[in-house]
Amino acid sequence: MLVSLTNTPRDYAWGSTDLIARLEGREPTGRPEAEVWLGDHPGNPAVTGDGRTLDAWLAAEGSATGAPTTLTFLLKLLAAGSPLSIQAHPSKAQAEEGFAREEAAGIPRDAGQRTYRDDNHKPELIVAVSDEFHALAGLRPIDDTRRLLALLGPAAEPLASRLERHGPEAALADTIAWLLSGDAQSEVDALIQAAADAPRGAGFDAELDLVAHVADAYPGDPGVIVAMLMNLVVLAPGEGLYVPAGVLHAYVSGLGVELMAASDNVLRGGLTPKHIDVDELLTVLTPAPGPAPRVFAEPAGEGLWRYDTPAPDFALRRADVRDDAAVQVPVSQATIVLATAGSVTVQTAEEAAELTPGRALMITPEAQGVVLRGSGTVYLATSGTVS
């Protein structure tokens, strides 16, 4: 069975005013459009063709069609017009403990100071759709950060000295705690100005320009300097970034397809007016420095690609359909399909539906497989592992 899915874009302030509209071929509304949720998460479930929310549809129809009554994943179309908050997500055990603690404390789940809104972890994968997708992910190796700080002159000395005090992980955790404590505001302001004044051409131009860009959006925010400690990543279309529990990250600009475990647990570390619990962030943070966790698509059949991650909750494939040649896609689990380019027809043995950019549907397991025809690109999200 093919079940059409729609949803209204969420109007978070960091959303783009035109990226989703341009993808869908419609006039922009003039308001930020940040995320389109295509799943059954109770925070914003998708709507099926018969007007039911997807969570209600699965509860009523899932068993009869071979689909689960709830999904383990959430697929999103994400459009960043300005930087998202710097954040990390808890492990499954941390989420269960934190959720139970806040439930026992009687904190309403929709309260601004609430951190754990459910008891699940939230590993996530983002794949670029726009020509470029800019992100911060993971903490840069300290030797590289030292070379960057050397361009900033005396203003960088307090930060540089902290990075020398301990081993790399302890030094980074201590430095992030100091930056977010509220006791380092004068140093933060001086570093932001020094980054704006720093000479270009020494190998860190993009990082320095990013600091200036983020500072324009969040003047004086300590998260601007936390961002200076992170890997800057620029993804081309089809390239991905996998963020497991504990890894600090922030999406900066661009349009992407995001797939994650079905959770809304976020520990923030700057670039936001929302609640920041520094102690709790440091509890879940993995401060190990290293390269950004990029993911590249691997062949999975004619016209079909997969993005391998260790996440047990989801799997993502991409189908590139060309010149009406058939692309065969096996389906053994409930699968959500989202089109990002061209026009692709999804066909089972009994029915067919055309998808154009921004449109989505769910394939139920009883279909066993579909044939894709047309010319375009679709992403297919499911739970577990697919070959």
Side-chain angles (χ1 to χ4, degrees):
M1 179 182 294
L2 303 179
V3 182
S4 67
L5 299 176
T6 59
N7 213 337
T8 302
R10 308 206 79 174
D11 60 352
Y12 302 141
W14 52 261
S16 167
T17 57
D18 65 345
L19 285 173
I20 292 176
R22 282 164 45 196
L23 181 79
E24 296 177 350
R26 59 176 171 82
E27 286 295 318
T29 65
R31 299 185 300 276
E33 295 180 336
E35 295 179 345
V36 180
W37 289 25
L38 297 167
D40 65 335
H41 192 285
N44 188 216
V47 178
T48 63
D50 62 8
R52 286 182 282 182
T53 57
L54 183 56
D55 53 346
W57 191 98
L58 287 169
E61 314 288 348
S63 298
T65 64
T69 54
T70 58
L71 300 175
T72 62
F73 65 90
L74 173 60
L75 181 68
K76 296 180 180 180
L77 189 62
L78 182 148
S82 60
L84 282 68
S85 61
I86 294 174
Q87 57 191 256
H89 305 303
S91 68
K92 178 65 173 171
Q94 290 166 337
E96 289 174 345
E97 190 279 329
F99 180 74
R101 177 175 9 108
E102 293 189 338
E103 288 286 283
I107 303 173
R109 294 184 189 178
D110 60 353
Q113 73 272 25
R114 179 88 186 213
T115 297
Y116 296 95
R117 301 183 187 278
D118 54 62
D119 64 355
N120 203 13
H121 63 168
K122 192 186 175 186
E124 58 190 43
L125 169 68
I126 186 93
V127 177
V129 173
S130 52
D131 290 342
E132 289 186 346
F133 187 94
H134 294 247
L136 295 162
L139 294 166
R140 186 189 303 108
I142 284 185
D143 284 346
D144 292 337
T145 295
R146 290 191 185 104
R147 292 193 296 113
L148 169 58
L149 294 178
L151 302 175
L152 306 187
E157 291 176 2
L159 180 58
S161 66
R162 284 186 171 269
L163 293 176
E164 300 288 349
R165 292 184 180 181
H166 310 286
E169 293 189 27
L172 285 164
D174 173 73
T175 299
I176 291 169
W178 173 66
L179 288 169
L180 298 178
S181 66
D183 297 331
Q185 190 60 53
S186 61
E187 289 88 347
V188 166
D189 293 338
L191 280 163
I192 291 173
Q193 185 60 54
D197 296 339
R200 297 321 196 242
F204 288 97
D205 289 7
E207 286 79 2
L208 293 170
D209 289 345
L210 176 68
V211 170
H213 172 67
V214 175
D216 283 343
Y218 298 96
D221 192 307
V224 176
I225 307 306
V226 176
M228 193 184 290
L229 304 176
M230 299 168 66
N231 294 301
L232 172 60
V233 185
V234 182
L235 302 176
E239 293 180 349
L241 192 66
Y242 173 68
V243 182
V247 172
L248 210 60
H249 61 285
Y251 303 141
V252 176
S253 65
L255 180 67
V257 171
E258 186 180 30
L259 182 59
M260 62 184 64
S263 173
D264 199 22
N265 287 327
V266 178
L267 283 299
R268 297 179 179 88
L271 309 186
T272 179
K274 294 182 179 180
H275 175 63
I276 296 177
D277 186 333
V278 178
D279 291 339
E280 195 67 23
L281 172 67
L282 295 173
T283 298
V284 307
L285 178 67
T286 301
R294 288 175 175 266
V295 179
F296 297 97
E298 300 290 341
E302 190 66 31
L304 200 59
W305 307 81
R306 70 173 184 269
Y307 295 86
D308 292 331
T309 78
D313 310 81
F314 58 74
L316 185 68
R317 290 174 287 181
R318 186 187 83 233
D320 296 320
V321 187
R322 298 291 179 264
D323 302 324
D324 211 33
V327 175
Q328 306 279 344
V329 182
V331 174
S332 60
Q333 307 172 59
T335 301
I336 294 179
V337 187
L338 169 64
T340 59
S343 174
V344 175
T345 297
V346 182
Q347 186 171 359
T348 70
E350 299 179 349
E351 58 183 323
E354 180 188 9
L355 292 181
T356 53
R359 291 192 60 194
L361 57 77
M362 182 178 69
I363 309 167
T364 58
E366 63 185 359
Q368 299 184 348
V370 296
V371 177
L372 307 178
R373 293 186 182 275
S375 182
T377 298
V378 298
Y379 286 85
L380 304 102
T382 189
S383 59
T385 303
V386 294
S387 59

